[in-house]
Amino acid sequence: MTDIIDTLRKVRRGAMFIIEAPSGTGKTSVIRNLMTLDNNLKFSVSVTTRKRRENETEGVDYYYVSDEQYDKLLAEDAFYEHVDSQYGSRYGTLRSEVDSFINVGQDVVFDMDWAGLRQIKAKAPDDVVSIYLLPPSIHELRHRLEGRGTDSKEIIDKRMGMILEKMTHWKEYDYVVVNVDVAQTVETVREIISAERMKRVRQTGLPEFVENLMKEAEND
């Protein structure tokens, strides 16, 4: 019996877990912890036309391509989603990269905003699970941004100014979690992931298993 259950767990379609939050909410920490605790989670590596920085690695941080290569990928509809940044660079999520994971039962985590979420949901609605993280309060959010010690007051004020616009999209997400404590939030998100993995549409080995059960019942 244990062998059968283990087989069912392996014969499944992966999911795309898109996580978004206002800057300073703790999204990066939550994703890092999830990746450490769950070997079946893969992080989506995007394509970009910007130049590689000294501390970055090809295939780990981004896939670095020329504008000509990007245009070719765009023409081939090779992206699940793509965006032009305000700084001139372009970014995209490769279908081939994501599908290579979900087609063999592995799940992909995305750090992506509502615009990217809309694009991916339009192309793969059954594969997407979206999670929005909220801070416990705006005061606490500013405190966290200031506590980083990496941004100037001007940058922090700019980030705070963008919060209201970002939070207006919270209703577009399947799950909303208030991040009071990172460890607890990670556990909550892990519970969401576990539940989503058990959905009937993702258990691709289930129809055959149920069919065999029904045949067994008929012959009993």
Side-chain angles (χ1 to χ4, degrees):
M1 180 62 71
T2 303
D3 291 343
I4 294 172
I5 299 301
D6 286 343
T7 299
L8 281 174
R9 284 173 177 166
K10 292 174 184 175
V11 184
R12 57 177 289 270
R13 181 171 177 80
M16 307 181 200
F17 291 97
I18 297 177
I19 302 177
E20 170 63 333
S23 180
T25 302
K27 174 177 59 176
T28 301
S29 295
V30 169
I31 291 175
R32 283 176 179 166
N33 276 276
L34 287 171
M35 301 297 292
T36 300
L37 293 168
D38 192 332
N39 292 330
N40 203 55
L41 289 176
K42 308 299 177 183
F43 190 75
S44 172
V45 179
S46 299
V47 163
T48 183
T49 58
R50 76 161 173 77
K51 299 298 181 184
R52 183 173 66 86
R53 293 169 185 160
E54 219 173 276
N55 62 334
E56 293 178 335
T57 304
E58 168 76 22
V60 176
D61 297 287
Y62 289 100
Y63 295 113
Y64 303 91
V65 299
S66 65
D67 281 306
E68 291 74 21
Q69 290 172 312
Y70 188 96
D71 287 337
K72 185 174 184 293
L73 290 168
L74 198 57
E76 294 171 348
D77 194 26
F79 296 129
Y80 265 124
E81 63 85 36
H82 58 89
V83 64
D84 295 349
S85 82
Q86 59 182 319
Y87 304 107
S89 300
R90 296 183 289 173
Y91 299 82
T93 300
L94 287 171
R95 285 175 181 261
S96 58
E97 163 102 345
V98 175
D99 288 349
S100 70
F101 293 128
I102 67 173
N103 287 339
V104 295
Q106 294 179 313
D107 304 303
V108 184
V109 176
F110 299 78
D111 177 350
M112 184 178 292
D113 68 9
W114 59 269
L117 170 64
R118 286 182 179 179
Q119 290 184 58
I120 293 187
K121 283 185 76 173
K123 293 180 178 179
D126 293 334
D127 294 325
V128 175
V129 180
S130 54
I131 303 167
Y132 198 90
L133 305 182
L134 286 172
S137 71
I138 300 303
H139 173 77
E140 174 62 21
L141 188 60
R142 178 177 282 278
H143 177 71
R144 291 177 183 179
L145 286 172
E146 291 173 345
R148 286 178 176 177
T150 57
D151 296 326
S152 65
K153 184 179 182 304
E154 290 72 24
I155 291 177
I156 290 174
D157 288 343
K158 184 178 180 180
R159 291 185 187 277
M160 294 298 296
M162 296 169 62
I163 287 171
L164 184 60
E165 192 279 330
K166 289 197 92 174
M167 287 199 302
T168 58
H169 298 280
W170 70 275
K171 289 184 180 180
E172 297 184 39
Y173 291 76
D174 301 314
Y175 300 92
V176 177
V177 180
V178 178
N179 184 23
V180 178
D181 174 76
V182 171
Q184 181 56 56
T185 297
V186 169
E187 286 308 306
T188 300
V189 175
R190 290 186 73 195
E191 289 171 3
I192 292 170
I193 291 172
S194 294
E196 287 290 336
R197 284 172 173 166
M198 294 302 296
K199 278 194 171 179
R200 175 179 51 79
V201 294
R202 296 198 177 95
Q203 295 191 68
T204 54
L206 200 55
E208 183 181 355
F209 175 71
V210 174
E211 185 179 347
N212 289 333
L213 278 181
M214 293 178 74
K215 287 178 180 177
E216 188 179 343
E218 289 173 358
N219 298 323
D220 186 46

